[in-house]
Amino acid sequence: MEKKLQNIALVIFVIICFTPAFYLKYTVFPFIVAKTLLFRLLICLLAINWTALVAINPQKYLSIFNKKNYILWSLIAYGVISTISGILGIEPAQSFFSSNERMLGLVSLYSFILLYIFITSIIKSKKNFHTILNSFLVCNVLVGIHALFSYAGLTIFSNLKGQRFSGLIGSPSFLSVYAVFGIFVALYFWALEYKEQSKIFTKYLFGALFLFFILLGTGTRATIVAAGLAIFILLIYFIVSKPKSLLKKISLSIVCLSLVSLGAIIAFKDTEFVQSRVYLQRLTTINTQERTFQNRMVAAKVAQKALENKTILGWGYETFQYAYLRNFDPLMLKVTPDDRLYDKPHNAILEASTNTGALGLITYLAIYSSIFYVAYISFKKNNINKDILVIFWLAYIAHFVSNIFLFDTFETYLGFFLLMGFIGSINHFTEKEEYSNNFNKKIILLVIPVIIASGWFVYEHGYKNIVNSYYGAKAIDSFQKGSFDDGYYNVLKLTEHPADTSRDVIITSSSIFFDNNYKMKVTHEQDVMMSNLYIKEIDRLLEIYPENLLLKAIQARFLALKEDEESLKRGLQIINEAIEESPHYVDFLSMRSAIYVIQKDFDNALHDLDIILDFTDYFPDPYYKKSYIYLSLKDYHKSLDNYILGVKANFGYNSEYNKKLADVARALHREDDYIQPYLDLCQEDPSNMQYFANLASAYAHLGNKAKVLEVTDMILKADKRYQKVVDDFLKQINYK
């Protein structure tokens, strides 16, 4: 019976290795929900299996809990500190369940720690562990192939096409770190074959090369630099440690070729070949003035400021967004006004310290230290050779360095814990394992409670999440298609199926509702219907997440949508509470301004918008809103002046309002003023075809057909691929 249970566990471990390939379209955040919930289900099955094994032979399966299991105790220490931090932090529910977009709260942390416990206590054979690592590698390669096909735009994968490789992982950055673990697992197996047969060109080497190609295709600079440096160090190690060998010559050739290739990319960075390939173009823009680097620096500054207030235990596990909003730096508006809300500092060290304080950071770093130390002990005991030791060390160095600008995800956690589990097991593998065939009655007594607990967990934190997320995705789809009735039905259904995912489903679906409100031609009565539905659910959610400022802002927005005096008064009170907590976050000030507009309190509305503009004049939204207010006040010159300032800060508001202001410009005989900011943007960046498209639209709003045709001809001369887009545009405005 023991051997059968072990074989069942091995199958489950193999399935876990393939979870990154799971994708469920009709869920909110389809790249996250399916694989995470499947993983939790499999961990529950392993818990039942492991409990039965412990009942059969407790000494054997509990032996990992010894004082020299440094990795396990560092994980437990980190888990304990994170739990205390979460319970005492700003929002315990957030700490335990995280967001729908990440699903990396304490529940997931416990799941991964259990994965380490189960895999190191159940898998006693190196052969079986190799089966698991090979499965992880196969999935890594398959995900890479899928990303390649998606990038190529093959029909079956067209829904996941992008400018960089991402595929089933959903994000180039997430895929990049996942690929790094695949690369080093492949190099481990290659090192084994090289040791045994002195073979260099094996399937594992080609697997590592393929995954490095996928890594390059993600265009994720931090990971490319981190992995590139790690592999460069590995090649230098081979050059130094393998004198007079073919491996030394090949390593030296690769180093030289890599340096020449990198030099060529930099030398020809302005050519069409490099600029037309995003993954190459991004490699040539690594500098401290680059936009992505700058917003990471601002987020890091916010994290440091937040840490000053809660040094020992932090704000609570997975609560960075709470800290971020309360310490928001308006400088973010100058750097990336369209990307100003962060739930991660994009720096794992700062994330660990902000969320769990100094104690959490110490235990977080202890995990890496224990991995390096245990790997070194394995080398000293001759269980691995120096080549494999270096590969293991470099794998985690590459991960650590890349995470200075990134953060962990489900896929990277999986690679991290599987390889760590192998490192933690190396010194305990047995050549021949003895099995017990005795049926212990204690199995039933121990397993039944675990089955019941696992069943409850899967239902509460698995099935309910799927159902809730499904209706949320359907609601979003309905709003985007312009169907209010279908959207209302699906929002009603998701409120009838509350789950851990409810908060983020509500936040995401409501945002899509507001974005498509005009498209759906929603009446005031329908606005009131939808508002009542959302407000009731948000009231429930705020009992669970009382410190969530985004929920409060959305609630205030729906109350404002109802437009009755009582709702406006309550909405103003709620948004004032949010502003008191986060005085510099512009979206909250903008929301209060909108409520003042509905109340016809234009002075206070303009005052809030001026506060935002005091933070930065790079942010276009306040200018457009001031333009709208002045238009309502019939101060047409000020309305047009603010509209022009908005265009200078960006490149347009929405088509209907652009047309309305074009009519104002014509009435005031200020057509040249209206068009000038569009011309300026085109002159500043003549390679940006979106600027020219907006210029053509602006001329169309002014009724200047000749100029429209002139600009569209310029677009087609620059790039013939826009022919269909131009034809459709000209047909839409009846110019063709």
Side-chain angles (χ1 to χ4, degrees):
M1 184 176 182
E2 182 184 357
K3 187 173 183 179
K4 288 180 180 179
L5 287 171
Q6 276 201 3
N7 289 335
I8 292 170
L10 179 60
V11 171
I12 297 173
F13 286 128
V14 168
I15 296 172
I16 284 175
C17 291
F18 284 92
T19 50
F22 280 78
Y23 166 82
L24 197 56
K25 181 179 180 182
Y26 276 110
T27 53
V28 179
F29 303 111
F31 298 102
I32 309 297
V33 173
K35 58 190 69 174
T36 305
L37 296 181
L38 175 59
F39 173 72
R40 291 179 184 176
L41 168 63
L42 294 170
I43 290 296
C44 286
L45 294 177
L46 282 172
I48 297 168
N49 182 287
W50 183 77
T51 304
L53 287 169
V54 168
I56 292 172
N57 193 337
Q59 185 176 358
K60 180 178 179 180
Y61 294 99
L62 294 178
S63 62
I64 62 165
F65 294 97
N66 63 77
K67 63 181 181 180
K68 290 189 176 181
N69 195 335
Y70 304 110
I71 293 177
L72 177 59
W73 294 119
S74 66
L75 287 173
I76 291 174
Y78 182 62
V80 169
I81 294 298
S82 298
T83 302
I84 295 171
S85 169
I87 293 171
L88 300 179
I90 189 169
E91 196 87 283
Q94 166 68 16
S95 293
F96 276 90
F97 301 111
S98 183
S99 66
N100 201 10
E101 184 179 4
R102 308 299 179 200
M103 298 191 82
L104 287 176
L106 288 168
V107 171
S108 287
L109 178 63
Y110 300 154
S111 298
F112 278 106
I113 293 175
L114 286 174
L115 173 65
Y116 179 84
I117 291 171
F118 296 155
I119 205 167
T120 54
S121 60
I122 295 174
I123 304 301
K124 304 294 184 181
S125 153
K126 182 183 285 190
K127 179 183 177 182
N128 285 343
F129 221 125
H130 280 180
T131 299
I132 295 169
L133 290 180
N134 270 305
S135 300
F136 173 78
L137 184 56
V138 168
C139 182
N140 215 300
V141 170
L142 291 175
V143 166
I145 292 171
H146 179 277
L148 182 60
F149 284 168
S150 300
Y151 176 80
L154 299 183
T155 304
I156 189 171
F157 304 117
S158 59
N159 62 317
L160 301 176
K161 183 175 174 9
Q163 291 184 309
R164 297 152 61 193
F165 294 177
S166 61
L168 289 166
I169 304 302
S171 164
S173 300
F174 301 169
L175 175 60
S176 68
V177 187
Y178 176 61
V180 166
F181 280 108
I183 289 168
F184 283 96
V185 168
L187 288 174
Y188 161 72
F189 283 115
W190 169 82
L192 284 181
E193 291 190 340
Y194 179 75
K195 175 188 175 184
E196 295 170 0
Q197 305 171 26
S198 296
K199 286 184 178 180
I200 296 177
F201 298 103
T202 70
K203 61 185 177 184
Y204 289 111
L205 180 61
F206 290 116
L209 290 172
F210 172 74
L211 290 174
F212 190 75
F213 168 73
I214 295 298
L215 169 59
L216 292 176
T218 67
T220 307
R221 290 164 290 198
T223 318
I224 292 171
V225 170
L229 286 173
I231 292 172
F232 182 81
I233 292 170
L234 181 64
L235 292 171
I236 297 299
Y237 162 76
F238 286 146
I239 292 170
V240 173
S241 65
K242 311 289 181 184
K244 299 180 181 180
S245 69
L246 179 59
L247 180 57
K248 175 183 177 177
K249 294 177 182 178
I250 293 173
S251 298
L252 186 59
S253 300
I254 293 173
V255 168
C256 294
L257 181 62
S258 299
L259 292 174
V260 170
S261 299
L262 183 60
I265 292 171
I266 294 172
F268 296 98
K269 64 180 181 180
D270 296 324
T271 63
E272 183 183 353
F273 179 82
V274 174
Q275 291 297 316
S276 62
R277 290 162 175 80
V278 176
Y279 52 90
L280 290 179
Q281 182 267 336
R282 285 174 62 83
L283 288 177
T284 66
T285 57
I286 300 176
N287 63 75
T288 58
Q289 300 305 312
E290 200 271 332
R291 169 176 155 158
T292 304
F293 182 88
Q294 286 293 314
N295 66 19
R296 299 291 193 271
M297 290 300 99
V298 177
K301 183 181 175 183
V302 172
Q304 290 171 341
K305 182 182 176 183
L307 181 59
E308 292 173 3
N309 300 324
K310 299 177 183 288
T311 309
I312 305 302
L313 285 170
W315 288 72
Y317 191 77
E318 274 291 293
T319 60
F320 179 75
Q321 189 176 86
Y322 289 74
Y324 176 83
L325 286 172
R326 286 162 174 80
N327 295 275
F328 181 76
D329 188 340
L331 182 60
M332 185 66 79
L333 300 171
K334 292 185 178 181
V335 179
T336 52
D338 54 340
D339 183 21
R340 57 189 177 274
L341 182 61
Y342 277 64
D343 66 340
K344 300 278 186 178
H346 290 261
N347 182 310
I349 299 169
L350 279 174
E351 181 180 356
S353 56
T354 305
N355 289 347
T356 58
L359 293 179
L361 178 61
I362 291 169
T363 52
Y364 174 80
L365 296 175
I367 296 172
Y368 284 94
S369 300
S370 63
I371 292 170
F372 293 133
Y373 181 64
V374 170
Y376 178 73
I377 291 174
S378 300
F379 165 68
K380 296 299 287 184
K381 290 183 176 181
N382 293 320
N383 289 322
I384 58 173
N385 62 22
K386 188 180 287 186
D387 295 351
I388 293 174
L389 173 66
V390 172
I391 288 169
F392 285 162
W393 278 359
L394 289 175
Y396 284 95
I397 289 172
H399 173 261
F400 185 86
V401 172
S402 67
N403 267 5
I404 293 174
F405 288 96
L406 297 171
F407 53 88
D408 277 310
T409 63
F410 170 80
E411 293 83 8
T412 60
Y413 262 27
L414 185 61
F416 188 99
F417 275 81
L418 286 175
L419 186 56
M420 180 172 62
F422 181 69
I423 292 171
S425 299
I426 290 173
N427 294 324
H428 308 289
F429 288 134
T430 58
E431 291 289 331
K432 187 175 181 181
E433 189 175 354
E434 296 181 359
Y435 299 101
S436 171
N437 293 317
N438 297 326
F439 181 81
N440 193 324
K441 292 181 180 179
K442 290 188 294 184
I443 293 176
I444 298 175
L445 296 176
L446 288 170
V447 169
I448 288 179
V450 176
I451 291 174
I452 294 171
S454 297
W456 170 84
F457 180 83
V458 169
Y459 176 75
E460 280 293 323
H461 304 293
Y463 171 76
K464 282 188 173 182
N465 287 342
I466 290 287
V467 173
N468 178 268
S469 193
Y470 168 79
Y471 283 117
K474 295 293 285 184
I476 289 170
D477 187 56
S478 300
F479 294 149
Q480 290 173 333
K481 289 179 178 177
S483 175
F484 174 87
D485 291 338
D486 289 346
Y488 181 85
Y489 169 80
N490 285 300
V491 173
L492 177 63
K493 296 300 290 184
L494 75 87
T495 61
E496 291 173 350
H497 295 83
D500 306 334
T501 54
S502 291
R503 183 198 59 189
D504 295 288
V505 168
I506 286 293
I507 290 173
T508 307
S509 63
S510 64
S511 175
I512 303 299
F513 169 74
F514 288 122
D515 289 344
N516 290 274
N517 196 288
Y518 178 81
K519 179 180 179 181
M520 292 186 287
K521 298 179 180 178
V522 178
T523 65
H524 179 64
E525 289 75 15
Q526 289 175 322
D527 273 337
V528 172
M529 284 174 56
M530 189 67 78
S531 296
N532 288 334
L533 201 56
Y534 271 104
I535 289 167
K536 182 180 178 182
E537 179 64 3
I538 292 172
D539 282 337
R540 182 189 72 83
L541 288 168
L542 282 172
E543 292 180 4
I544 304 170
Y545 303 98
E547 301 298 327
N548 192 288
L549 301 183
L550 295 181
L551 273 179
K552 291 182 178 182
I554 292 169
Q555 188 182 44
R557 190 170 183 181
F558 275 113
L559 285 164
L561 207 58
K562 294 174 71 173
E563 295 187 1
D564 63 272
E565 186 177 345
E566 184 180 345
S567 296
L568 288 170
K569 184 178 179 181
R570 187 185 171 206
L572 193 58
Q573 178 186 349
I574 291 170
I575 201 63
N576 279 333
E577 291 173 5
I579 292 171
E580 187 176 347
E581 288 284 322
S582 178
H584 296 148
Y585 190 61
V586 295
D587 293 62
F588 299 157
L589 288 165
S590 184
M591 171 54 58
R592 186 169 69 180
S593 173
I595 294 175
Y596 283 139
V597 169
I598 296 171
Q599 292 179 323
K600 307 297 183 185
D601 186 353
F602 296 119
D603 288 340
N604 274 321
L606 289 168
H607 177 69
D608 276 349
L609 295 173
D610 285 334
I611 291 174
I612 297 172
L613 291 172
D614 284 341
F615 294 151
T616 174
D617 55 1
Y618 285 81
F619 193 43
D621 193 57
Y623 289 119
Y624 294 129
K625 290 184 175 177
K626 287 182 71 174
S627 174
Y628 176 81
I629 291 171
Y630 284 122
L631 188 65
S632 302
L633 294 171
K634 296 184 170 30
D635 191 337
Y636 299 118
H637 280 287
K638 281 190 177 180
S639 177
L640 184 59
D641 289 342
N642 278 280
Y643 173 82
I644 290 168
L645 290 170
V647 175
K648 286 180 179 179
N650 201 316
F651 52 73
Y653 197 41
N654 65 59
S655 182
E656 289 298 315
Y657 194 72
N658 292 344
K659 188 176 186 304
K660 187 177 290 186
L661 266 291
D663 293 338
V664 170
R666 283 193 290 185
L668 298 174
H669 304 293
R670 293 181 59 186
E671 293 94 331
D672 290 345
D673 292 338
Y674 174 85
I675 209 71
Q676 191 59 49
Y678 291 99
L679 289 169
D680 291 342
L681 288 169
C682 292
Q683 289 173 358
E684 287 174 14
D685 188 0
S687 65
N688 191 326
M689 291 300 104
Q690 183 61 56
Y691 287 164
F692 284 90
N694 282 283
L695 176 62
S697 295
Y699 276 125
H701 293 322
L702 291 174
N704 193 332
K705 182 176 181 179
K707 285 292 186 181
V708 170
L709 296 175
E710 180 184 325
V711 174
T712 52
D713 283 344
M714 292 171 64
I715 293 172
L716 292 176
K717 285 179 181 177
D719 196 332
K720 287 287 185 183
R721 291 178 297 177
Y722 290 107
Q723 183 69 59
K724 186 177 184 307
V725 176
V726 168
D727 289 344
D728 290 344
F729 168 70
L730 293 176
K731 286 178 183 176
Q732 184 181 356
I733 61 175
N734 297 318
Y735 278 11
K736 187 170 184 177

